[in-house]
Amino acid sequence: MNQQNYLTQCDFLMNLSDHTINMTTGWNGPCWFIPGPTWLTTAVLNGLATPTMTHRSPEFKVVMAELHGRLRHSFALSPTSTEMGQQSQEGEDGYSVVVVSGSGTAAMEMVIANRFGPEDRVLVPTNGKFGERVAQICENFTSVTHLKGEWGRAFDLEEIETILSTGEFDALAICHNETSTGITQDAEALGKITQKHGVPFILDGITSVGGLPVHPESWNAEAVVVGGQKCTAGPSGISAVAISESYVQKMIENRNNHDSSQVYYLDLVQALKKAADDQTPWTPAINLCTGWVAALREQDEEGIENRWHRCEMLAKGIRNLFTEIGFELFADENQRSNTVTAILYPEPEWGEEWRRWMAVEKDTHVIGGQDHLKGRIFRVGSMGVTSKEEMIEGCKRMIEGFRHFGRTIPEIDVESFFR
Ligand SMILES: Cc1ncc(COP(=O)(O)O)c(C=O)c1O
């Protein structure tokens, strides 16, 4: 999108209601299917524009308490109060949430760096770019075994179980929803395996939390990470972690066992202490917190389970529609994500040109492939506040775009795929 288009879009979003549905003609706004940063509603933009407050003020503690309490809904943890001074960050299930001023990668680094030492052996199976990033983070702080799989193929659970059953590993860390390839790992099955072999389980839930069913407690997860700009439809540059009691205990043991800590700014022991008082150790991203609260109010208005269902309905529609018109989906069939769908370009020669044309001519935004998948796939997000109407219109425009590039696609009832 060029600068002028971008400003027009901002204008459009600020001046019209968020859900730009004309009752006679359907959706008439931009179609934004980037798998994060997602579309920010007017309420979130207004939340970001909250007047200055200091991070040690009662006003800010009110914001943090609400943020903690509502994030617990995103993580599907036991509910707490959203009121200041009520321990909103820690629930009956023993999990605590901590807000991080930094994107999802900072939160993931925080989770690994505080909990493990160089002698800890962490197994990281991967099937895409973000799993590989988990392995890279672990490489910096732990003794990692990277089980590098083919992008887009499901994990071999038997292989993982065989490795963990040796008793040689101190943790399993994964990217739960692999945004680069449109795969959701079978976290429930992996949770059972880790439980059986007494191995702590860590998840990058950056594009799953808030958009897909996530169950930290029943999955035996010690830590799960979320990024603001993804399924919760909040701002970029802010993230959060959910950590269990056993994580906290092991983190403190790890701190006591090492002469020097590997962290300072990302010290989770300090962050946890301050969170109990609805604060943060350092000056946080104050206005990202106020913006995120506004996004989470919208999440709670919709209801977290309804949001999971909407993402599922949208992703199923995309999968079925594109399969019907002869496109191939990239990810293994039984592990396809409901928050991002990876689709192979019919003609890699002009795929990226099509994508740019869609943005400029049709105001419809999808993302391309990463690394060796550049030019081979495009990815359609179905997270955040994307509505059925926006998705239907966007799919119609994408089909028009493919026809414009010479692909023969018969007339098709797009609406029927999203009922
Ligand atoms: C699954 C996953 N993990 C990690 C990241 C990196 O997150 P961030 O850019 O917020 O640091 C992303 C970003 O797209 C992601 O999709």
Side-chain angles (χ1 to χ4, degrees):
M1 196 179 342
N2 65 31
Q3 180 71 4
Q4 191 50 48
N5 280 354
Y6 175 73
L7 291 174
T8 311
Q9 175 173 335
C10 293
D11 239 25
F12 182 89
L13 290 175
M14 297 297 283
N15 293 325
L16 292 175
S17 70
D18 291 321
H19 303 285
T20 48
I21 304 166
N22 178 316
M23 295 317 278
T24 47
T25 59
W27 183 270
N28 54 15
C31 293
W32 186 263
F33 305 134
I34 305 296
T38 56
W39 187 290
L40 297 180
T41 65
T42 305
V44 178
L45 295 173
N46 288 336
L48 288 165
T50 303
T52 306
M53 62 178 85
T54 83
H55 57 294
R56 300 293 175 223
S57 63
E59 291 80 9
F60 186 66
K61 288 189 181 189
V62 168
V63 172
M64 281 308 284
E66 184 172 352
L67 188 49
H68 288 144
R70 292 191 187 276
L71 277 170
R72 294 188 64 84
H73 306 157
S74 319
F75 282 108
L77 296 171
S78 62
T80 56
S81 164
T82 51
E83 302 287 320
M84 175 175 79
Q86 301 296 314
Q87 298 287 308
S88 58
Q89 98 291 352
E90 186 179 1
E92 279 171 5
D93 53 14
Y95 281 85
S96 299
V97 295
V98 173
V99 175
V100 183
S101 288
S103 75
T105 308
M108 204 56 207
E109 180 164 337
M110 190 183 212
V111 157
I112 301 296
N114 283 275
R115 164 68 175 80
F116 300 106
E119 70 289 350
D120 287 316
R121 289 145 309 167
V122 181
L123 179 67
V124 186
T126 68
N127 48 15
K129 187 172 181 76
F130 294 106
E132 290 180 6
R133 192 173 292 176
V134 173
Q136 283 163 3
I137 294 171
C138 289
E139 209 158 293
N140 274 314
F141 301 100
T142 74
S143 164
V144 68
T145 298
H146 182 181
L147 197 59
K148 194 168 176 170
E150 197 183 333
W151 286 30
R153 303 288 72 81
F155 290 161
D156 181 340
L157 298 186
E158 278 181 27
E159 184 186 19
I160 292 171
E161 168 139 35
T162 305
I163 297 173
L164 294 183
S165 69
T166 58
E168 288 174 7
F169 284 86
D170 298 297
L172 174 73
I174 63 160
C175 171
H176 178 212
N177 189 68
E178 185 45 86
T179 324
S180 65
T181 55
I183 273 225
T184 304
Q185 326 295 353
D186 189 344
E188 189 179 354
L190 288 164
K192 282 191 185 132
I193 294 171
T194 58
Q195 201 152 22
K196 184 170 161 196
H197 299 290
V199 176
F201 188 23
I202 311 280
L203 294 98
D204 161 347
I206 289 169
T207 54
S208 59
V209 173
L212 304 178
V214 170
H215 301 288
E217 195 173 16
S218 64
W219 292 353
N220 182 45
E222 263 203 359
V224 187
V225 168
V226 65
Q229 79 278 24
K230 306 289 189 180
C231 303
T232 61
S236 308
I238 191 162
S239 55
V241 304
I243 46 175
S244 71
E245 280 171 327
S246 85
Y247 177 98
V248 174
Q249 197 187 326
K250 290 286 173 34
M251 167 173 72
I252 290 166
E253 277 173 26
N254 180 51
R255 189 64 53 87
N256 295 338
N257 288 343
H258 293 96
D259 292 341
S260 66
S261 170
Q262 310 187 90
V263 287
Y264 188 86
Y265 189 79
L266 294 178
D267 185 341
L268 190 44
V269 176
Q270 290 303 322
L272 192 60
K273 254 190 225 163
K274 284 291 190 185
D277 187 29
D278 303 320
Q279 293 195 61
T280 53
W282 331 114
T283 311
I286 296 173
N287 283 58
L288 299 187
C289 293
T290 54
W292 206 4
V293 165
L296 295 174
R297 283 182 188 164
E298 293 187 323
Q299 165 200 274
D300 288 344
E301 236 167 72
E302 180 175 12
I304 190 70
E305 294 194 2
N306 291 336
R307 189 163 278 200
W308 296 345
H309 291 144
R310 174 167 51 77
C311 293
E312 183 181 1
M313 177 272 295
L314 294 175
K316 266 190 186 160
I318 301 161
R319 292 196 292 261
N320 293 338
L321 171 64
F322 277 90
T323 305
E324 182 69 26
I325 61 175
F327 286 59
E328 214 181 305
L329 305 178
F330 183 73
D332 266 359
E333 190 170 359
N334 51 356
Q335 301 291 160
R336 286 177 186 151
S337 168
N338 284 336
T339 57
V340 58
T341 301
I343 305 172
L344 286 151
Y345 282 126
E347 309 278 348
E349 294 75 33
W350 48 255
E352 284 297 279
E353 207 184 315
W354 167 84
R355 194 170 65 80
R356 281 189 290 273
W357 186 87
M358 288 302 302
V360 173
E361 299 297 330
K362 294 280 172 192
D363 211 352
T364 295
H365 307 269
V366 296
I367 201 116
Q370 291 164 292
D371 295 354
H372 61 281
L373 295 182
K374 212 176 171 92
R376 282 191 58 207
I377 62 167
F378 64 101
R379 293 173 293 148
V380 184
S382 50
M383 59 177 71
V385 292
T386 304
S387 67
K388 181 167 90 172
E389 289 76 12
E390 183 183 358
M391 187 57 79
I392 288 171
E393 175 61 23
C395 286
K396 286 181 181 172
R397 292 183 197 174
M398 283 190 260
I399 290 172
E400 267 177 62
F402 282 117
R403 286 190 184 123
H404 177 82
F405 275 75
R407 180 95 183 160
T408 307
I409 300 175
E411 279 311 308
I412 189 147
D413 178 6
V414 173
E415 277 89 349
S416 68
F417 289 85
F418 295 92
R419 286 194 183 118

